[in-house]
Amino acid sequence: MAQIQQGGPDEKEKSTALKDLLSRIDLDELMKKDEPPLDFPDTLEGFEYAFNEKGQLRHTKTGEPFVFNYREDLHRWNQKRYEALGEIITKYVYELLEKDCNLKKISIPVDATESEPKSFIFMSEDALTNPQKLMVLIHGSGVVRAGQWARRLIINEDLDSGTQIPFIKRAMEEGYGVIVLNPNENYIEVEKPTIHVQSSSDSSDEPAEKRERKDKVPKETKKRRDFYEKYRNPQREKETMQLYIRENGSPEEHAVYVWDHFIAQSAAENVFFVAHSYGGLAFVELTSEVEGKPGIYLSKGEALNRKIKHTEFSPTVEIPNLDFVPVISRDAL
């Protein structure tokens, strides 16, 4: 007797699709269906946090430090909340650089058109005119921006530990001009435009039978995909694209750009660099760019009698001779 075949092509296709669906589902993703909206305040007051007189971030009602696990079992939501707070703190530090440190915010590229992407740095009033000494601060990689050493320290410790403000104030007290670089601000994000793709059945030269088979698959699987997507990404975030800033598309490019357009134009006889973590690599790249230029040489030097040896400020990548703060001295430019 002929053996009865169990299941035809349709059943096999459904079985394969089901296995594929199950293989892509994980419990963490399924938990997202109960996730609260990713709608967070845009001010510290909205978060009910403020910095006290010691520069510590505290809850305005309880006086407690910041709590990451605000909602149990919702790590993704907690992380998004933390990132939203971090963006507010970045703007807060920018305000401190201008109001407390009296630095000027300078847009770059200097010849940028109104419509092109831009970044910025901060400078003291005498950064380009101080005849004796100029201090340049370069932070590390990641989410930190101008004026910060570590966002985690700002949130969990205090402003003095996590920002460059103590360095800036001390430098200005001792007669330094100051330039604060912003090497991680390499692009702006804009919403990705929607691209309407013409159906293949409208323009294909394939036989009608083959086109019908191909078009049948998306139609039959659309409900399954939509069902899965509901759990995988219940709050669909906008898709964005990156528009890079001209001549500042990387930390290394940024350091060289600021040297060429600001530091090299300054009147200071000596330029001191304080670089943390990846900022040290950006500095090394800078020295390789400027070493061959006339009148420029490297020498050991100190900056405010402070060396980069504190645990929180020690380099996380191995860079030779960064146990001191290098100084670039110039005979003439």
Side-chain angles (χ1 to χ4, degrees), residues 40-41 47 79-89 151:
F40 303 106
F47 270 95
Q79 179 65 32
K80 293 292 183 181
R81 173 175 173 267
Y82 176 81
E83 292 170 3
L85 177 64
E87 291 302 310
I88 295 172
I89 287 175
R151 177 184 289 181

Side-chain angles (χ1 to χ4, degrees), residues 136-140 149 164 181 183 255 273-276 278-280 282-283 286:
V136 181
L137 296 102
I138 315 177
H139 59 64
W149 292 127
Q164 299 171 352
L181 270 62
F273 281 79
V274 180
H276 167 56
Y278 197 86
F283 170 79
L286 171 62

Side-chain angles (χ1 to χ4, degrees), residues 233-280:
N233 192 12
Q235 302 184 64
R236 184 185 296 275
E237 298 177 62
K238 294 180 179 179
E239 292 188 30
T240 61
M241 58 186 297
Q242 299 171 347
L243 301 179
Y244 280 84
I245 298 165
R246 175 165 52 88
E247 298 183 76
N248 288 269
S250 69
E252 296 85 354
E253 274 192 4
H254 176 75
V256 172
Y257 183 88
V258 175
W259 172 273
D260 287 340
H261 292 82
F262 297 95
I263 303 172
Q265 311 303 322
S266 70
E269 181 180 353
N270 295 306
V271 182
F272 294 77
F273 281 79
V274 180
H276 167 56
S277 186
Y278 197 86

Side-chain angles (χ1 to χ4, degrees), residues 130 233 268 312:
N130 189 314
N233 192 12
E312 300 296 342

